[in-house]
Amino acid sequence: MDNVIDFINVNRDRYVDELKTLLAIPSVSALPEHKADVRRCAEWCGDEMRRIGLQNVRLFETPGNPIVYGDWLGASGAPTILFYGHYDVQPVDPLNLWESPPFEATVRDGEIYARGAADDKGQVFMHFKAVEAYMKQNGRLPVNIKIILEGEEEVGSENLDDFIRAHKGELQSDVVVISDSGMFARGVPSICYGLRGLVYFQIDLRGSSTDLHSGSFGGAVANPAFVLCQMIAQMKDRSGRIKIPGFYDDVKPLLDEERQAWASLPFNEKKYKKDFGIPKLLGETGYTTLERTWARPTFEVNGLLSGFTGEGAKTVLPAVAMAKVSMRLVPNQDPNKIADLFQKYVEDIAPKTVGLKITRMHGGKPWMTSYDNPYVQAAGRAIEKGFGRAPIFTREGGSIPVVSTFQEELGLPSVLFGVGLPDENAHAPNEKLDLSNFHNGIIASAYLYDEIGRG
Ligand code: BES
Ligand code: MN
Ligand code: MN
């Protein structure tokens, strides 16, 4: 074990250079113009997996982007880890707000800046380097490992469930390990035991066949932008509760012990507001900020588009208005059921003055596990060795759709050990990853394989 850790310490700088190569590939899954880059990234990951000593490395084609698979199954008698990560990244817009180009990774003040640095390439790469250290030093791992990397996580993992169902036998393992979440705060390593789910919609309203002169027609014709705002305003009441009938029926209430545990976490509301430039916090009455983001469902407007938005003024009555909206779900809400309730509610509140089109987009189920399972405990010991401090247990507001699939289809528990920091700008301009967390994360990953390998 010591020789593995030594190797990791000695190669610290090389890892950063290699990570830069991975971060240079613009594998943006949401944009068709990056299709070839996404594939190139899958191939790069496959090549890297071969380089570090994994076997049976191949790309599985899907109707969308390829899934990269590789394994090492030489630790007979030891448990098998199924490692999951994603090699796709979010779009980079608005580009002008980046302080260095998103696909030319740049190190400043101990952080590496690039799209995908934290979410999720940097975190996947930690595990690659832990595997490499074992293979280079010992020629073997203390545990069996199967790795699957997905290229469509950021667009809803549309093809992954089918892949998992079709390869149930080959994917048999003992535990899933994922590094695609965050640490609670700098210096506070964390294991995440719950994620929110998601349903996402686009709403299109049409008020007329073409834009109209707002003087000639205004007052006699419904304005779809206004109607859309009225409809959105009917989604929540004044206490922040979502008004869709039946929306809360399956919501699992927060446990008193969770509320107590979270209340004692080092969360500073003043700093939170300051860090993110928020004048005053707002959320559902009766819940704290952590409770609102980790354990309560939400309705959000992700985008709005209508009418004239250029410089200057144009007196126009827009023909159409569009909104992208989504709901984060918590256990035990079911995305399909919530989608139906939402669709019905929108149809009910839409006035006859506009044409309505509702399009359902991607989604995913919420997930939660108990954290007293032996793998979570093993991860706790490994993280303590890597970070010098035992992890705390958190839930998170984000979604990783496949985690519930692993549970339901393969019967596998997941250990979510993430090293992203809350201010690392995932999905935003200037995404970054703290390089000491990256380094400690490699060491913790190495210890994690050792701990799980002991069975
Ligand atoms: N890594 C995130 C999920 C995440 C975020 C976990 C914060 C824990 C804390 C993941 O890449 C992501 O962004 N997921 C999407 C899923 C969606 C497209 C279905 C999300 O949460 O918006
Ligand atoms: Mn991610
Ligand atoms: Mn993401």
Side-chain angles (χ1 to χ4, degrees):
M1 194 66 224
D2 287 352
N3 64 338
V4 172
I5 304 304
D6 288 347
F7 184 90
I8 294 170
N9 284 321
V10 166
N11 285 279
R12 188 172 181 151
D13 295 339
R14 171 173 65 87
Y15 296 158
V16 177
D17 289 336
E18 291 177 4
L19 177 59
K20 284 182 181 172
T21 321
L22 173 56
L23 292 171
I25 308 172
S27 51
V28 182
S29 51
L31 302 173
E33 63 263 36
H34 284 292
K35 196 95 191 147
D37 298 316
V38 172
R39 174 165 296 273
R40 187 154 58 85
C41 192
E43 278 161 5
W44 191 97
C45 290
D47 290 343
E48 170 70 7
M49 283 159 65
R50 280 185 205 99
R51 268 197 298 275
I52 62 177
L54 291 167
Q55 299 170 344
N56 300 311
V57 176
R58 53 198 164 125
L59 266 51
F60 283 91
E61 298 303 328
T62 75
N65 300 326
I67 291 164
V68 191
Y69 176 87
D71 60 30
W72 190 86
L73 303 172
S76 68
T80 302
I81 294 175
L82 180 60
F83 176 82
Y84 162 84
H86 63 93
Y87 66 84
D88 64 323
V89 299
Q90 287 277 334
V92 298
D93 59 288
L95 186 57
N96 62 319
L97 295 183
W98 285 78
E99 279 162 31
S100 53
F103 297 109
E104 285 172 36
T106 311
V107 175
R108 292 194 293 276
D109 300 328
E111 316 244 23
I112 186 162
Y113 286 79
R115 172 57 87 230
D119 186 10
D120 180 29
K121 289 173 173 174
Q123 300 204 56
V124 166
F125 207 63
M126 287 178 342
H127 289 269
F128 283 2
K129 296 298 103 174
V131 168
E132 182 192 61
Y134 275 108
M135 296 306 286
K136 283 262 154 60
Q137 294 293 73
N138 300 345
R140 64 189 317 276
L141 298 176
V143 69
N144 300 296
I145 192 166
K146 299 175 181 178
I147 294 187
I148 50 177
L149 301 184
E150 185 198 0
E152 297 182 300
E153 197 278 340
E154 300 290 9
V155 289
S157 301
E158 223 78 78
N159 295 297
L160 189 57
D161 283 6
D162 284 347
F163 171 83
I164 289 169
R165 274 191 283 270
H167 295 90
K168 264 189 170 172
E170 295 116 289
L171 295 174
Q172 273 316 317
S173 311
D174 295 289
V175 59
V176 177
V177 171
I178 302 177
S179 288
D180 189 25
S181 51
M183 283 170 48
F184 183 73
R186 195 173 286 277
V188 187
S190 320
I191 293 178
C192 169
Y193 69 94
L195 293 165
R196 290 198 287 191
L198 185 77
V199 278
Y200 202 113
F201 281 93
Q202 176 169 331
I203 303 174
D204 288 277
L205 300 185
R206 178 170 285 279
S208 49
S209 54
T210 173
D211 282 0
L212 300 170
H213 189 295
S214 70
S216 316
F217 294 87
V221 178
N223 181 323
F226 191 82
V227 172
L228 186 58
C229 293
Q230 286 181 315
M231 289 171 63
I232 288 171
Q234 289 175 70
M235 290 293 163
K236 286 188 193 177
D237 70 14
R238 293 180 63 123
S239 68
R241 239 183 117 79
I242 293 155
K243 287 166 68 175
I244 301 166
F247 186 82
Y248 289 94
D249 284 359
D250 301 322
V251 170
K252 189 176 143 73
L254 260 156
L255 300 175
D256 282 340
E257 45 192 277
E258 287 183 299
R259 302 189 90 161
Q260 275 164 26
W262 300 354
S264 65
L265 291 177
F267 181 73
N268 181 335
E269 216 152 74
K270 277 211 177 84
K271 181 172 185 309
Y272 182 81
K273 283 193 286 192
K274 186 166 169 283
D275 283 354
F276 299 103
I278 301 159
K280 187 177 190 306
L281 293 174
L282 177 72
E284 190 183 356
T285 306
Y287 295 92
T288 66
T289 298
L290 288 181
E291 291 167 356
R292 288 167 177 169
T293 53
W294 288 358
R296 297 297 296 169
T298 64
F299 172 89
E300 295 300 342
V301 179
N302 301 109
L304 272 178
L305 192 66
S306 185
F308 178 70
T309 55
E311 247 178 79
K314 179 186 180 195
T315 45
V316 62
L317 211 165
V320 294
M322 185 275 275
K324 308 252 188 193
V325 302
S326 61
M327 285 148 276
R328 292 281 168 179
L329 310 179
V330 299
N332 297 314
Q333 287 177 300
D334 172 59
N336 287 322
K337 187 173 162 191
I338 296 294
D340 289 346
L341 294 175
F342 171 79
Q343 181 139 359
K344 184 170 181 308
Y345 184 61
V346 171
E347 282 161 1
D348 282 352
I349 64 175
K352 294 205 165 56
T353 52
V354 291
L356 167 70
K357 191 174 134 209
I358 310 176
T359 313
R360 181 169 171 193
M361 300 167 86
H362 57 235
K365 289 184 184 171
W367 166 81
M368 190 154 83
T369 185
S370 70
Y371 49 86
D372 56 7
N373 83 60
Y375 297 109
V376 171
Q377 301 302 319
R381 293 191 295 275
I383 291 168
E384 183 163 6
K385 289 180 193 162
F387 287 82
R389 177 165 171 179
I392 63 163
F393 293 96
T394 64
R395 283 165 69 175
E396 292 257 29
S399 311
I400 307 175
V402 74
V403 183
S404 80
T405 312
F406 287 136
Q407 183 66 55
E408 286 172 12
E409 296 291 336
L410 303 178
L412 292 180
S414 290
V415 175
L416 270 64
F417 143 55
V419 304
L421 290 173
D423 67 349
E424 285 186 332
N425 302 323
H427 295 204
N430 304 309
E431 180 177 348
K432 60 185 171 174
L433 179 66
D434 182 282
L435 286 174
S436 62
N437 289 336
F438 173 64
H439 181 71
N440 293 341
I442 300 172
I443 294 176
S445 303
Y447 279 118
L448 180 62
Y449 305 162
D450 183 58
E451 288 282 353
I452 294 180
R454 290 161 194 262

mmCIF file of all heavy atoms in Angstrom, residues 86 119-120 153-154 180, ligand 2:
data_model
loop_
_atom_site.group_PDB
_atom_site.id
_atom_site.type_symbol
_atom_site.label_atom_id
_atom_site.label_comp_id
_atom_site.label_asym_id
_atom_site.label_seq_id
_atom_site.Cartn_x
_atom_site.Cartn_y
_atom_site.Cartn_z
ATOM 1 N N HIS A 86 -19.003 10.028 -15.863
ATOM 2 C CA HIS A 86 -19.391 10.499 -17.203
ATOM 3 C C HIS A 86 -18.301 11.365 -17.820
ATOM 4 O O HIS A 86 -17.654 12.140 -17.127
ATOM 5 C CB HIS A 86 -20.754 11.202 -17.197
ATOM 6 C CG HIS A 86 -20.856 12.458 -16.388
ATOM 7 N ND1 HIS A 86 -20.642 13.707 -16.937
ATOM 8 C CD2 HIS A 86 -21.169 12.670 -15.091
ATOM 9 C CE1 HIS A 86 -20.845 14.631 -16.002
ATOM 10 N NE2 HIS A 86 -21.148 14.038 -14.871
ATOM 11 N N ASP A 119 -16.799 18.359 -12.893
ATOM 12 C CA ASP A 119 -17.996 17.625 -13.320
ATOM 13 C C ASP A 119 -17.820 17.148 -14.760
ATOM 14 O O ASP A 119 -18.187 17.838 -15.677
ATOM 15 C CB ASP A 119 -19.214 18.550 -13.185
ATOM 16 C CG ASP A 119 -20.534 17.856 -13.469
ATOM 17 O OD1 ASP A 119 -20.544 16.626 -13.593
ATOM 18 O OD2 ASP A 119 -21.556 18.566 -13.585
ATOM 19 N N ASP A 120 -17.266 15.953 -15.028
ATOM 20 C CA ASP A 120 -16.895 14.987 -14.019
ATOM 21 C C ASP A 120 -15.514 14.424 -14.344
ATOM 22 O O ASP A 120 -15.038 13.481 -13.734
ATOM 23 C CB ASP A 120 -17.983 13.885 -14.011
ATOM 24 C CG ASP A 120 -17.748 12.760 -13.000
ATOM 25 O OD1 ASP A 120 -17.139 12.994 -11.960
ATOM 26 O OD2 ASP A 120 -18.176 11.639 -13.302
ATOM 27 N N GLU A 153 -24.672 11.818 -19.622
ATOM 28 C CA GLU A 153 -25.213 12.115 -18.295
ATOM 29 C C GLU A 153 -25.825 13.510 -18.263
ATOM 30 O O GLU A 153 -26.891 13.714 -17.683
ATOM 31 C CB GLU A 153 -24.112 11.985 -17.231
ATOM 32 C CG GLU A 153 -24.638 11.879 -15.808
ATOM 33 C CD GLU A 153 -24.989 13.218 -15.166
ATOM 34 O OE1 GLU A 153 -24.503 14.269 -15.638
ATOM 35 O OE2 GLU A 153 -25.751 13.219 -14.201
ATOM 36 N N GLU A 154 -25.147 14.453 -18.888
ATOM 37 C CA GLU A 154 -25.613 15.841 -18.815
ATOM 38 C C GLU A 154 -26.852 16.090 -19.673
ATOM 39 O O GLU A 154 -27.414 17.187 -19.653
ATOM 40 C CB GLU A 154 -24.489 16.810 -19.223
ATOM 41 C CG GLU A 154 -23.238 16.741 -18.346
ATOM 42 C CD GLU A 154 -23.432 17.279 -16.922
ATOM 43 O OE1 GLU A 154 -24.584 17.549 -16.539
ATOM 44 O OE2 GLU A 154 -22.440 17.422 -16.202
ATOM 45 N N ASP A 180 -18.927 11.954 -8.454
ATOM 46 C CA ASP A 180 -19.577 12.947 -9.328
ATOM 47 C C ASP A 180 -20.440 13.870 -8.480
ATOM 48 O O ASP A 180 -21.482 14.343 -8.905
ATOM 49 C CB ASP A 180 -20.421 12.214 -10.388
ATOM 50 C CG ASP A 180 -20.952 13.162 -11.451
ATOM 51 O OD1 ASP A 180 -20.336 14.226 -11.670
ATOM 52 O OD2 ASP A 180 -21.995 12.834 -12.067
HETATM 53 MN MN MN B 2 -21.666 15.100 -13.093
#
